[in-house]
Amino acid sequence: MVTLGLDVSTSCVGYAFVDNIDKDKKILDMGFIDIKKEKTPKDKVQKVLDFLNKSSYIDDVFIVNVEDNLSGFAGGFTSQQVIIKLAKFNAILCFMLEHFEYKVNNINPMTARKQVFGKARIKGIKAKDYVKMKVEELYDTTKWCKETTRGNWDKRNIDMYDGLVMALFEKSS
C-alpha cells in the first residue's frame, strides 16, 4: 500500500510516495514540482497531475494525504489574494484526485507532525527548521534533495519534506 503525501502551495508542490506495508515506512520517491510559471489554477493542477501520472508508483497509491491549505497562515504574513488562489488550487487538485478515485484526506500539518514526530513543534525553532531536523533524523534524504545552481540546499526541498510528513501520517478510522 502506497501513500502519496502532498504539500500544496501556489508556486511549488512537495510530494512523497511512501510504502506503508511495513511498520518501517519506506520512501519510494519524493521531490517537488515547480508550478510558479503556470498562470491559472487549472494549469497548475494539470501540471501536477501530468507529473504524478508519470510516476511508476501512482498505480499503487491507496491514499493521498494533502496538507490542509489554510493552517499555515495564522501568522498573518499572507495576502488575501494568495490565500484565495491557494484555496482554489487546492480544491481543484483534491477534486481531480477524488475524480480519479483516490481517497483524499486534508490533514492539518500540526496534527501530522505530532503523530509522525511525537511533537508538532519545539519552542524557539521555526516550523520549517523543525521538520527538516526531524526528517533528517529519521531518513537519509540526500538522493532526493536538490541544490541550487550555486550549490546551496534548495529551499523548495522543505516542501518535499512537508509532503513526506503527509505521506507518513496515518489517519485513524
Side-chain angles (χ1 to χ4, degrees):
M1 175 172 81
V2 174
T3 300
L4 170 60
L6 297 174
D7 173 40
V8 177
S9 77
T10 55
S11 61
C12 182
V13 175
Y15 70 90
F17 291 92
V18 172
D19 185 348
N20 286 323
I21 257 334
D22 303 320
K23 288 190 182 206
D24 297 329
K25 297 173 178 169
K26 180 181 175 200
I27 301 171
L28 301 171
D29 187 26
M30 64 179 185
F32 55 83
I33 307 160
D34 189 339
I35 57 170
K36 70 175 165 270
K37 292 181 182 172
E38 310 328 303
K39 300 289 183 224
T40 67
K42 179 183 172 186
D43 294 339
K44 290 175 186 291
V45 167
Q46 190 63 56
K47 183 165 183 177
V48 171
L49 292 177
D50 288 346
F51 182 92
L52 294 174
N53 281 323
K54 291 177 187 167
S55 170
S56 60
Y57 304 107
I58 196 68
D59 291 334
D60 298 322
V61 170
F62 181 70
I63 293 174
V64 180
N65 289 335
V66 180
E67 187 173 291
D68 204 9
N69 60 325
L70 296 179
S71 359
F73 299 114
F77 297 110
T78 304
S79 71
Q80 283 181 325
Q81 280 105 355
V82 171
I83 292 171
I84 290 168
K85 278 183 190 176
L86 178 58
K88 280 182 187 177
F89 172 50
N90 197 334
I92 295 167
L93 181 60
C94 289
F95 175 80
M96 290 305 296
L97 290 166
E98 287 176 352
H99 175 75
F100 292 115
E101 300 186 5
Y102 293 107
K103 180 173 177 11
V104 178
N105 299 311
N106 283 291
I107 310 296
N108 181 296
M110 298 296 272
T111 303
R113 288 180 200 143
K114 187 171 184 177
Q115 186 196 83
V116 172
F117 303 137
K119 288 183 178 180
R121 60 186 302 267
I122 294 176
K123 190 174 181 175
I125 297 178
K126 292 180 181 176
K128 301 283 184 192
D129 295 333
Y130 176 70
V131 169
K132 184 177 187 293
M133 177 183 74
K134 296 305 281 184
V135 164
E136 290 175 353
E137 284 175 10
L138 294 172
Y139 295 98
D140 177 8
T141 60
T142 51
K143 76 178 186 180
W144 293 288
C145 288
K146 303 280 190 278
E147 292 183 344
T148 64
T149 53
R150 293 190 171 171
N152 298 318
W153 196 80
D154 193 317
K155 65 181 181 174
R156 295 174 295 181
N157 287 322
I158 199 65
D159 296 317
M160 170 181 71
Y161 282 7
D162 286 337
L164 177 60
V165 172
M166 290 298 114
L168 293 171
F169 179 81
E170 290 183 46
K171 187 170 177 138
S172 51
S173 307

